């Protein structure tokens, strides 16, 4: 579903240019659960943002579900993103003045679904992540793990084929991190592709394939067996 061929990306600031991704070749199939590891600054977020059509690349080709992702207009990119991809971030990115249900319902607003129906669907997804009883609570009344579960429900509510998570457990303690990873594993059982950026080995161990980025290049790509 994800296919990158010789993808390069540089950031230019003033007269300086920083070559962040160097000839990256990467194939990820439907239903895989992949971790991307690497030290800070190795290009993990840049790679994830390109895969998520949040950022552009300079050369090479990126196909998502057979569509070449290149030179898309903002509008086309947004449409493609909303239809195909759900996002989960380290900092949860919930809207503070909306309750859990309204946060989960938000992506459906852009699909012209009535408020009543949006909220009904949002409750179903809150139930899936074990938070139905917390629907009317605002983010500041939720623990870190609960916030991330709300964010995961929000990522799922549009029924994406792909979930991209950038350090989803980066702000959580290890017990809560484990719970979030267990939830992501359950989601993966529904044939949803997951790509998870992390720098923690314990987290990567919960995925079935782990890719190591070093200085903008893929250094290793390993299938992890879970006995
Ligand atoms: P990681 O997620 O692995 O820590 P990033 O992909 O965020 O790495 O960043 C890779 C490199 O690119 C870093 O040196 C970072 O400072 C730089 N970088 C990231 N985003 C930008 C940007 N928008 N403008 C300039 N430099 C950037
Ligand atoms: Mg990063």
């Amino acid at each position: 579903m994800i296919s990158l061929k010789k993808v390069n990306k540089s950031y230019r600031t003033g007269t300086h240019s920083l070559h962040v991704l160097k000839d990256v070749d990467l194939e990820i199939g439907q239903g895989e659960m992949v971790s991307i590891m690497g030290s800070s600054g190795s290009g993990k977020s840049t790679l994830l943002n390109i895969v998520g059509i949040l950022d552009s690349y300079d050369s090479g080709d990126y196909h998502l579900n057979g569509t070449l992702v290149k030179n898309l207009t903002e509008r086309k990119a947004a449409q493609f993103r909303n239809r195909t991809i759900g996002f989960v971030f380290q900092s949860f990115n919930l809207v503070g003045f909306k309750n859990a249900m309204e946060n989960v319902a938000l992506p459906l607003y852009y699909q012209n679904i009535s408020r009543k129906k949006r909220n009904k669907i949002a409750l179903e997804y809150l139930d899936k992540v074990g938070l139905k009883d917390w629907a009317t609570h605002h983010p500041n009344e939720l623990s870190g793990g609960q916030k991330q579960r709300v964010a995961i429900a929000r990522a799922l509510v549009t029924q994406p084929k792909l979930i991209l998570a950038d350090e989803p457990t980066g702000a959580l303690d290890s017990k809560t991190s484990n719970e979030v990873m267990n939830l992501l594993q359950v989601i993966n059982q529904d044939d949803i592709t997951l790509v998870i950026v992390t720098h923690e080995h314990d987290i990567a161990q919960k995925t079935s394939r782990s890719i190591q980025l070093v200085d903008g290049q893929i250094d290793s790509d390993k299938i992890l067996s879970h006995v």
Side-chain angles (χ1 to χ4, degrees):
M1 94 173 304
I2 293 168
S3 170
L4 290 96
K5 295 232 162 64
K6 291 209 178 307
V7 164
N8 284 274
K9 170 77 178 176
S10 297
Y11 288 113
R12 277 163 221 91
T13 41
T15 54
H16 290 275
S17 180
L18 184 66
H19 197 176
V20 178
L21 295 180
K22 300 164 185 165
D23 282 339
V24 171
D25 287 320
L26 177 61
E27 302 280 332
I28 296 177
Q30 179 72 50
E32 283 200 75
M33 182 167 182
V34 181
S35 51
I36 296 177
M37 296 199 70
S39 54
S40 178
S42 57
K44 304 182 297 296
S45 294
T46 302
L47 177 60
L48 203 72
N49 290 344
I50 289 171
V51 170
I53 326 182
L54 294 168
D55 202 353
S56 61
Y57 52 99
D58 302 322
S59 67
D61 287 323
Y62 167 36
H63 286 86
L64 177 58
N65 278 339
T67 301
L68 178 63
V69 178
K70 207 177 218 174
N71 306 325
L72 298 180
T73 61
E74 273 300 319
R75 192 186 151 82
K76 277 255 184 281
Q79 276 177 355
F80 199 13
R81 235 181 357 247
N82 295 348
R83 268 209 321 268
T84 318
I85 310 171
F87 294 92
V88 178
F89 301 95
Q90 174 173 357
S91 52
F92 322 122
N93 291 10
L94 299 177
V95 179
F97 61 85
K98 290 185 182 289
N99 68 31
M101 177 185 70
E102 292 162 345
N103 267 282
V104 174
L106 202 55
L108 300 174
Y109 174 82
Y110 302 100
Q111 297 187 358
N112 292 322
I113 297 170
S114 73
R115 181 194 302 265
K116 198 174 165 202
K117 192 159 175 212
R118 290 200 301 269
N119 288 343
K120 181 171 175 286
I121 298 170
L123 276 181
E124 286 166 21
Y125 279 86
L126 272 181
D127 197 18
K128 271 188 210 270
V129 301
L131 288 177
K132 201 175 181 187
D133 294 341
W134 294 81
T136 59
H137 289 252
H138 284 72
N140 65 4
E141 300 166 325
L142 302 173
S143 69
Q146 287 174 326
K147 280 188 254 203
Q148 198 57 303
R149 276 148 66 197
V150 172
I152 290 169
R154 181 184 57 186
L156 287 170
V157 79
T158 53
Q159 299 184 279
K161 289 276 178 287
L162 170 65
I163 299 232
L164 302 178
D166 197 347
E167 311 258 11
T169 62
L172 305 176
D173 62 58
S174 57
K175 180 171 171 282
T176 312
S177 296
N178 259 319
E179 289 165 6
V180 164
M181 287 308 293
N182 292 342
L183 176 60
L184 293 176
Q185 284 179 327
V186 170
I187 289 163
N188 180 240
Q189 284 163 12
D190 286 336
D191 204 38
I192 295 173
T193 310
L194 281 147
V195 183
I196 301 162
V197 163
T198 180
H199 56 257
E200 295 166 83
H201 273 283
D202 295 359
I203 299 301
Q205 281 304 319
K206 294 253 181 183
T207 67
S208 46
R209 175 181 169 195
S210 190
I211 291 164
Q212 179 88 27
L213 268 188
V214 175
D215 200 16
Q217 293 182 300
I218 293 179
D219 189 61
S220 69
D221 186 344
K222 294 194 184 100
I223 302 296
L224 307 177
S225 49
H226 300 278
V227 185

